[in-house]
């Protein structure tokens, strides 16, 4: 073991009946594994262990999620208990009872069946706001349970150091049978044929009734897809199906340790899909073997002209797919090609179901070899296998949120373009206003309420804790949108300061500003803080952040409670679905914001304070100013809705939200005295065009005196 097991501690602290109802005690922990008997009134009823002793369980907090799991001799989960975690959304936001209730769905799971299915469950219920936490919990329970069941030989699962079956390797002397039908009959080729009726029935069994309400209109016996596959990297199979010349090309295409499969299809459904683009991913098929899954990319794909075997039908799609050497694929073991079928439900919604085409290389192509003994039979956790499993979980999360990631990247691209070309955009006050209102609405609805991608000071504190205890990127990659947003924020701090996120991408900030705009439309009176009071209020957020930071470093018990000063979880992540004190606090802040625009952002937000500190490294100053700004002109200072402009004219980058309103005024022909005077001077000189503005540095001393008088 790389570290001392957690089980002894929790055996001493946890009550047996909190794991399995009616349990009366624990036996002694085994000397070879961190597993102990769990006892009932009549003796041993199963085995208990801690998931984090066998697999990685790092959650969004960067710390492990410890769960005690009990299994019986048939490899069925008979009980479990969440004994310790540091997940912020569960500590403060989601009631823990909801997590525990969802975990109970694992009770009764057959781990032997889960192992046969590749170490995962097909259907996973998700609580809004805790997707990552739930996926880590589910993944760790199943994988750790399978490891323990294998180690103890429960439910017929073989221990890792005891071979269940002989091992094989590909026999280079094997010969494939001639003819398409013969190859199909002996298992060299595998086929899956689906008709429209079967597909409609599969969607009718889904939980969403909309999937059944939109069936395919073709007759039930109409062919939906006729799909074939074969392992053509086996020399005998490749030569028979591809022909000698094409098989030679295949061998040149494959590197050492790589394999290839043939996939052929016909019918109304394409296994490649019309959405496939060069350089992208084939998202309708996936190769699955054990706990390994592989999606093919363009670089691992080649089209095939025809089948060389006699009697083969004509196919609409005929392709070769390469399996990389590092995928962990074993050609002698069973695998399956999983076909994803989709059905449109609404404009942006789809239902999905899968069908499996199983493949096992026939014995005539194999020869038996002795099974090697594991070099370290006492080691419970294989580091490389564990890392691969964690990366597979991350990849699964990123693939599941592909559309959300694409939406976020589009938002970041649009915002970056607006910042780079702000002097063009800010020529029109109306264009800036509606662009800003539209972008903030999208940030609130899509980024906030839909994707729950609200950054928090908790992210920063978790990063600090992770660096103290051993930094790992994997913990932070579990939430792809948050990961991408933090990278974008880091880049924006160098270019524009904190305003890029706080002023445009923060969902709660957007909610405050949009509600204030509604209040203004309803003629709710606005309160402008006196400058002296404003100056003394804005340091409050820095004080709050420093207190939270110190409490986190000191690891005081109440540190997590301080995070509740942020109303983000209540208003954005949980959409006000919380206990009334939290909802009241969030609504109170929004109510104050109806009168004092962005009140929380300006005076209380610890995240804004945390971003303002490193924003001092900003390398560019994009906001243009005239020498007269503040001396004597106060137009921008008076109209800045967060009062980020000092009476002396300087813009405070720590408070600026980059709303661009001062740049609108910089070019305004009706509000900016400098621009108005320049227009008048041009008209007096000779009616020169007034569309472009000259630099004010050409003003004479008389001009400056004139402006001072004005």
């Amino acid at each position: 073991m790389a570290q001392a097991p957690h089980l002894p501690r929790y055996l001493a602290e946890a009550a047996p009946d909190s794991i399995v109802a009616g349990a009366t005690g624990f036996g002694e922990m085994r000397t070879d594994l961190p597993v102990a008997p769990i006892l009932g009134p009549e003796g041993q009823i199963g085995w208990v262990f801690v998931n984090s002793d066998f697999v990685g369980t790092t959650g969004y907090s960067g710390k492990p999620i410890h769960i005690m799991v009990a299994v019986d001799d048939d490899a069925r989960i008979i009980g479990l208990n969440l004994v310790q975690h540091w997940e912020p959304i569960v500590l403060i936001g989601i009631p823990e009872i909801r997590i525990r209730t969802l975990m109970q769905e694992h009770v009764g799971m057959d781990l032997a069946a889960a192992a046969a299915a590749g170490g995962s469950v097909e259907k996973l219920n998700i609580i809004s706001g805790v997707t990552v936490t739930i996926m880590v919990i589910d993944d760790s329970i199943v994988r750790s349970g399978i490891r323990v069941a294998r180690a103890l030989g429960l439910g017929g699962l073989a221990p890792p150091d005891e071979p269940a079956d002989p091992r094989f390797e590909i026999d280079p002397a094997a010969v494939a049978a001639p003819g398409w039908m013969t190859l199909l009959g002996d298992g060299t080729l595998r086929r899956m044929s689906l008709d429209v009726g079967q597909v409609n029935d599969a969607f009718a069994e889904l939980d969403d009734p909309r999937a059944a309400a939109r069936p395919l209109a073709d007759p039930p016996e109409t062919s939906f897809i006729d799909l074939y596959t074969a392992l053509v990297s086996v020399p005998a199979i490749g030569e028979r199906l591809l022909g000698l010349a094409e098989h030679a090309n295949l061998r040149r295409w494959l590197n050492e340790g790589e394999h290839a499969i043939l996939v052929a299809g016909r019918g109304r459904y394409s296994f490649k899909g019309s959405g496939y683009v060069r350089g992208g991913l084939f998202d309708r098929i996936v190769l699955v073997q054990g706990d390994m899954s592989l999606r093919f990319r363009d670089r691992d794909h080649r089209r095939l002209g025809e089948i060389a075997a006699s009697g083969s039908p004509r196919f609409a799609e005929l392709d070769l797919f390469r399996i990389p050497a590092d995928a962990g694929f074993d050609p002698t073991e069973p695998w399956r090609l999983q076909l994803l079928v989709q059905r449109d439900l609404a404009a942006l919604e789809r239902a999905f179901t899968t069908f499996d085409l199983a493949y096992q290389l026939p014995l005539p192509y194999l020869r038996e070899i002795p099974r090697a003994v594991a070099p370290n039979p006492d080691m419970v956790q294989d580091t490389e296998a564990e890392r691969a499993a964690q990366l597979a979980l991350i990849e699964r999360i990123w693939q599941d949120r592909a559309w959300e990631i694409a939406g976020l990247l589009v938002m970041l691209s649009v915002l970056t373009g607006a910042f780079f070309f702000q002097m063009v955009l800010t020529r029109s006050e109306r264009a800036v206003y509606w662009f800003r209102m539209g972008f903030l609405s999208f940030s609130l609805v899509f980024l906030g309420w839909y994707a729950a991608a609200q950054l928090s000071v908790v992210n920063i504190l978790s990063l600090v804790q992770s660096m103290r205890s051993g930094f790992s990127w994997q913990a932070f990659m579990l939430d792809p949108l948050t990961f991408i947003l933090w990278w974008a924020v880091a880049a924006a701090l160098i270019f524009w300061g904190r305003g890029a996120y706080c002023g445009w991408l923060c969902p709660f900030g957007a909610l405050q500003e949009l509600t204030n705009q509604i209040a203004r439309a309803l003629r709710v009176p606005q309160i402008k803080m006196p400058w002296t009071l404003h100056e003394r209020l804005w340091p409050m957020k820095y004080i709050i952040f420093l207190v939270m930071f110190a409490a986190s470093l000191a690891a005081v018990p109440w540190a997590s409670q301080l995070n509740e000063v942020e109303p983000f979880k209540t208003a954005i992540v949980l959409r006000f679905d919380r206990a009334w004190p939290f909802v009241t606090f969030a609504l109170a802040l929004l109510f104050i914001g109806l009168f004092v625009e962005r009140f929380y952002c300006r005076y209380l937000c610890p995240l804004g304070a945390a971003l303002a500190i490193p924003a001092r490294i900003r390398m560019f100053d994009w906001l243009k100013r005239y020498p007269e700004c503040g001396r004597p002109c106060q137009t921008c200072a008076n109209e800045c809705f967060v009062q980020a402009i000092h009476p002396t004219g300087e813009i405070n980058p720590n408070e600026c939200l980059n709303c661009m309103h001062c740049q609108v005024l910089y070019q305004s022909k009706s509000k900016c005295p400098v621009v108005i005077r320049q227009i008048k001077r041009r008209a007096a000189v000779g009616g020169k065009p007034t569309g472009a503005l000259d630099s004010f540095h050409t003003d004479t001393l008389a001009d400056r005196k004139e402006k001072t008088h004005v």
Side-chain angles (χ1 to χ4, degrees):
M1 296 295 292
Q3 62 182 16
H6 298 93
L7 181 62
R9 170 190 170 188
Y10 296 116
L11 288 178
E13 296 178 357
D17 58 359
S18 68
I19 304 169
V20 180
T24 58
F26 301 112
E28 291 292 326
M29 188 180 82
R30 291 174 57 127
T31 57
D32 57 341
L33 286 174
V35 175
I38 184 168
L39 310 175
E42 299 180 359
Q44 181 175 336
I45 58 176
W47 301 89
V48 66
F49 60 93
V50 177
N51 62 336
S52 47
D53 281 335
F54 293 88
V55 298
T57 62
T58 303
Y60 187 71
S61 65
K63 296 182 179 180
I65 302 172
H66 299 304
I67 301 171
M68 294 187 76
V69 185
V71 297
D72 62 15
D73 291 339
D74 294 326
R76 292 186 180 275
I77 296 178
I78 57 175
L80 37 77
N81 184 23
L82 178 64
V83 290
Q84 191 173 28
H85 69 90
W86 290 266
E87 296 299 273
I89 190 65
V90 182
L91 287 170
I92 297 299
I94 297 288
E96 192 171 289
I97 186 62
R98 295 179 65 182
I99 306 297
R100 294 181 180 275
T101 301
L102 187 142
M103 286 172 51
Q104 294 305 311
E105 294 184 5
H106 291 84
V107 175
M109 177 185 290
D110 186 344
L111 293 171
S120 64
V121 290
E122 292 185 2
K123 186 177 179 181
L124 181 64
N125 291 325
I126 296 295
I127 296 175
S128 176
V130 287
T131 303
V132 171
T133 300
I134 292 300
M135 293 184 79
V136 171
I137 288 175
D138 170 78
D139 181 71
S140 66
I141 290 174
V142 176
R143 289 196 295 117
S144 63
I146 291 174
R147 289 196 173 188
V148 169
R150 288 191 187 280
L152 299 178
L154 306 178
L157 293 175
D161 57 341
E162 295 181 11
D165 298 297
R167 293 186 61 193
F168 297 91
E169 64 182 0
I170 294 174
D171 184 358
V175 177
W180 177 268
M181 295 306 296
T182 307
L183 295 171
L184 190 60
D186 66 13
T188 302
L189 278 162
R190 295 296 174 97
R191 177 190 186 192
M192 177 175 68
S193 182
L194 299 174
D195 57 36
V196 168
Q198 291 173 296
V199 174
N200 284 338
D201 290 343
F203 279 105
E205 294 176 1
L206 299 182
D207 292 338
D208 194 332
R210 295 178 298 172
R214 309 185 76 174
L216 297 173
D218 300 287
E221 65 276 6
T222 304
S223 175
F224 182 77
I225 189 171
D226 196 18
L227 191 66
Y228 298 79
T229 191
L231 188 63
V232 291
S233 53
V234 176
I237 300 176
E239 291 178 359
R240 185 66 69 187
L241 288 174
L242 308 182
L244 294 177
E246 190 62 40
H247 180 252
N249 292 334
L250 175 67
R251 293 181 61 182
R252 286 191 291 269
W253 185 44
L254 298 180
N255 297 317
E256 183 69 26
E258 294 182 337
H259 297 274
I261 62 172
L262 165 73
V263 183
R266 55 182 179 172
R268 60 169 293 167
Y269 191 73
S270 166
F271 66 78
K272 290 192 294 187
S274 59
Y276 167 70
V277 294
R278 180 161 295 278
L281 191 74
F282 292 87
D283 59 359
R284 292 190 178 183
I285 55 173
V286 57
L287 187 149
V288 181
Q289 185 180 66
D291 57 3
M292 183 276 295
S293 61
L294 173 67
R295 294 188 183 276
F296 299 103
R297 298 184 176 275
D298 173 67
R299 61 176 177 267
D300 296 317
H301 163 254
R302 288 178 62 181
R303 289 185 176 88
L304 184 64
E306 60 180 0
I307 298 291
S310 60
S312 64
R314 297 184 63 86
F315 291 100
E317 295 175 324
L318 190 58
D319 300 85
L320 298 175
F321 293 94
R322 178 171 54 190
I323 304 170
D326 59 0
F329 176 74
D330 184 349
T332 66
E333 294 294 324
W335 53 274
R336 67 184 189 272
L337 191 66
Q338 190 173 77
L339 176 70
L340 181 71
V341 180
Q342 61 190 32
R343 176 169 291 179
D344 293 334
L345 301 180
L348 298 176
E349 292 185 74
R350 291 176 177 175
F352 299 92
T353 189
T354 58
F355 299 90
D356 289 344
L357 172 54
Y359 191 93
Q360 168 72 67
L361 195 63
L363 284 176
Y365 298 102
L366 303 173
R367 64 184 182 189
E368 186 174 345
I369 59 173
R371 182 178 291 271
V373 179
N376 295 309
D378 295 331
M379 178 168 289
V380 177
Q381 186 169 340
D382 184 337
T383 304
E384 287 301 319
E386 176 61 23
R387 181 175 180 274
Q390 292 183 358
L391 291 176
L393 175 61
I394 293 173
E395 182 179 357
R396 172 186 167 194
I397 294 173
W398 281 65
Q399 289 175 350
D400 289 345
R401 306 194 71 179
W403 287 108
E404 297 173 19
I405 293 171
L408 174 58
L409 293 178
V410 170
M411 289 183 66
L412 295 176
S413 300
V414 170
L415 185 59
T416 301
F419 280 165
F420 271 109
F421 300 100
Q422 65 180 18
M423 295 310 294
V424 177
L425 177 63
T426 54
R427 290 175 184 173
S428 169
E429 182 175 5
R430 184 179 181 85
V432 172
Y433 176 81
W434 287 112
F435 172 74
R436 181 167 177 79
M437 292 301 104
F439 197 94
L440 291 178
S441 299
F442 200 73
S443 294
L444 173 62
V445 177
F446 170 74
L447 209 57
W449 287 337
Y450 175 74
Q454 169 75 64
L455 298 188
S456 166
V457 74
V458 174
N459 306 139
I460 299 175
L461 301 180
S462 297
L463 175 62
V464 174
Q465 290 291 348
S466 175
M467 290 176 139
R468 293 179 64 195
S469 58
F471 179 77
S472 170
W473 279 113
Q474 295 180 16
F476 294 91
M477 292 179 69
L478 287 169
D479 191 336
L481 267 66
T482 301
F483 183 79
I484 295 171
L485 268 176
W486 274 116
W487 275 108
V489 168
L493 291 178
I494 298 175
F495 283 86
W496 300 286
R498 78 178 184 103
Y501 177 76
C502 295
W504 295 84
L505 292 167
C506 176
F508 187 76
L511 178 60
Q512 291 180 91
E513 189 164 335
L514 292 171
T515 52
N516 180 267
Q517 289 297 313
I518 295 173
R520 287 173 181 267
L522 297 176
R523 301 186 181 278
V524 173
Q526 299 296 299
I527 300 173
K528 183 175 182 180
M529 293 290 185
W531 181 258
T532 53
L533 177 61
H534 175 64
E535 275 190 310
R536 285 158 179 76
L537 285 178
W538 80 35
M540 287 297 299
K541 59 178 173 285
Y542 297 95
I543 296 173
I544 293 172
F545 169 69
L546 292 175
V547 171
M548 296 175 67
F549 187 74
S552 177
L553 289 180
V556 295
W558 41 267
S560 61
Q561 304 299 320
L562 292 177
N563 299 336
E564 198 51 41
V565 73
E566 292 184 325
F568 305 157
K569 290 181 286 293
T570 300
I572 303 300
V573 178
L574 304 179
R575 290 172 285 187
F576 297 100
D577 182 17
R578 292 190 73 186
W580 70 266
F582 302 110
V583 175
T584 301
F585 175 65
L587 291 177
L589 293 175
L590 291 173
F591 178 76
I592 298 174
L594 299 178
F595 304 91
V596 182
E597 190 164 357
R598 291 252 188 171
F599 173 82
Y600 177 79
C601 296
R602 295 161 67 179
Y603 304 125
L604 298 177
C605 181
L607 176 62
L611 295 179
I613 295 172
R616 304 290 295 180
I617 67 174
R618 189 177 89 263
M619 300 176 63
F620 305 95
D621 191 359
W622 298 83
L623 301 179
K624 295 186 177 182
R625 309 290 287 155
Y626 291 113
E628 289 70 26
C629 293
R631 296 180 300 273
C633 181
Q634 297 290 320
T635 303
C636 292
N638 290 333
E639 293 199 16
C640 179
F641 67 88
V642 293
Q643 295 179 262
I645 302 177
H646 288 257
T648 52
E650 299 89 355
I651 297 177
N652 187 341
N654 297 333
E655 305 302 317
C656 177
L657 297 183
N658 287 80
C659 69
M660 302 187 192
H661 185 64
C662 62
Q663 299 307 283
V664 172
L665 297 177
Y666 181 86
Q667 303 183 77
S668 175
K669 299 176 183 179
S670 60
K671 292 185 178 181
C672 179
V674 177
V675 176
I676 295 172
R677 186 186 54 75
Q678 288 178 344
I679 294 174
K680 290 181 178 179
R681 186 179 62 184
R682 289 193 189 96
V685 170
K688 292 174 61 179
T690 60
L693 299 180
D694 294 335
S695 171
F696 188 77
H697 294 297
T698 60
D699 290 351
T700 63
L701 180 61
D703 293 331
R704 295 177 183 271
K705 290 182 178 179
E706 177 188 345
K707 278 180 279 198
T708 303
H709 178 70
V710 172

